[in-house]
Amino acid sequence: MSSDTDASKVYSAKEVSVLLGIQNTTVRKYSQLLEKAGYHIHKNELGHRGFFDKDVIVLRKIIELTKRPDMSLENAVNVVVSTDAGSDISKCDMQKSMTYQEILEDNQRLLKEFEDFKNQQLEFNKELLQQLKKRDDYIATKLEQRDQSLMNTIREMHDTQKLIATTKQPSKKWWEFWK
């Protein structure tokens, strides 16, 4: 459906769902509610809907309005249809709306930025793992040295106690000297 009509691009429901970040079934549901409220959406000879830029803007406004906690979907549709009332949406909104191609390019740019960030993060993670491994190796070495030092000290103490025990003679009591 992406044909040009009167210098305006006509989007398919699938393209609109990508543009707005919603499901294709949601586009259909919103379109049916708009039509029920008296809003005209272009249909081809097979009955497939075609969306112009102003229709995409109307759908975007519905999405924004339904995010408010006090606004139901039906009320949002009625508000948008009553403010549209057969006239074009404000030129400011038309300037803000992005074409399908612009959104695709923007998405590709964001994807590239994400890939770059992911690669930077992977490199950072590698460096961090190397530093942690060095630290763990250092700690393991220090612990091993400490353990060896403690064992040597314990052995020395044990040897000293043995030496003391062998060199110590039983002391005679003072009265035993006269016997």
Side-chain angles (χ1 to χ4, degrees), residues 71-86:
M71 185 69 70
S72 69
L73 177 59
E74 289 77 15
N75 287 342
V77 169
N78 290 333
V79 167
V80 170
V81 169
S82 65
T83 57
D84 180 48

Side-chain angles (χ1 to χ4, degrees), residues 4 10 13 16 22 29 37 42 52 56 61 66 74 91 98 104 115 120 122-123 133-134 140 142 146 152 164 174:
D4 290 334
V10 179
V16 171
I22 58 176
K29 178 180 178 180
H42 173 75
F52 294 99
V56 174
K61 281 189 172 188
T66 56
E74 289 77 15
K91 291 179 183 176
M98 298 174 77
L104 284 177
E115 286 292 326
Q120 289 174 351
L122 287 173
E123 190 62 35
K133 182 167 178 12
K134 285 179 185 177
K142 288 297 182 185
R146 184 203 65 183
N152 289 338
I164 290 172
W174 61 271

Side-chain angles (χ1 to χ4, degrees), residues 59-169:
L59 290 168
R60 185 173 285 136
K61 281 189 172 188
I62 291 172
I63 293 168
E64 291 172 8
L65 288 173
T66 56
K67 289 180 182 175
R68 296 181 183 175
D70 58 337
M71 185 69 70
S72 69
L73 177 59
E74 289 77 15
N75 287 342
V77 169
N78 290 333
V79 167
V80 170
V81 169
S82 65
T83 57
D84 180 48
S87 65
D88 284 341
I89 306 297
S90 69
K91 291 179 183 176
C92 179
D93 285 342
M94 288 294 267
Q95 290 172 349
K96 286 182 186 175
S97 81
M98 298 174 77
T99 66
Y100 184 72
Q101 186 62 34
E102 289 171 330
I103 290 175
L104 284 177
E105 290 169 359
D106 191 43
N107 286 344
Q108 289 172 345
R109 180 188 56 77
L110 288 172
L111 185 61
K112 181 170 181 353
E113 287 177 11
F114 176 74
E115 286 292 326
D116 292 343
F117 174 76
K118 182 185 81 168
N119 291 334
Q120 289 174 351
Q121 191 65 38
L122 287 173
E123 190 62 35
F124 173 79
N125 290 348
K126 282 181 187 178
E127 290 176 20
L128 184 61
L129 285 173
Q130 289 173 349
Q131 290 176 0
L132 289 173
K133 182 167 178 12
K134 285 179 185 177
R135 186 199 69 179
D136 289 348
D137 291 345
Y138 174 78
I139 290 172
T141 302
K142 288 297 182 185
L143 287 174
E144 190 174 316
Q145 289 172 353
R146 184 203 65 183
D147 291 348
Q148 287 176 352
S149 176
L150 283 172
M151 288 304 294
N152 289 338
T153 304
I154 291 170
R155 282 188 194 110
E156 288 174 6
M157 288 174 55
H158 186 62
D159 291 345
T160 304
Q161 287 175 346
K162 277 185 185 178
L163 187 61
I164 290 172
T166 57
T167 58
K168 206 177 202 187
Q169 295 178 351

Side-chain angles (χ1 to χ4, degrees), residues 1-12 15 42 51-52:
M1 237 189 242
S2 299
S3 63
D4 290 334
T5 308
D6 298 335
S8 288
K9 181 165 170 94
V10 179
Y11 301 100
S12 69
E15 290 172 325
H42 173 75
F51 299 87
F52 294 99

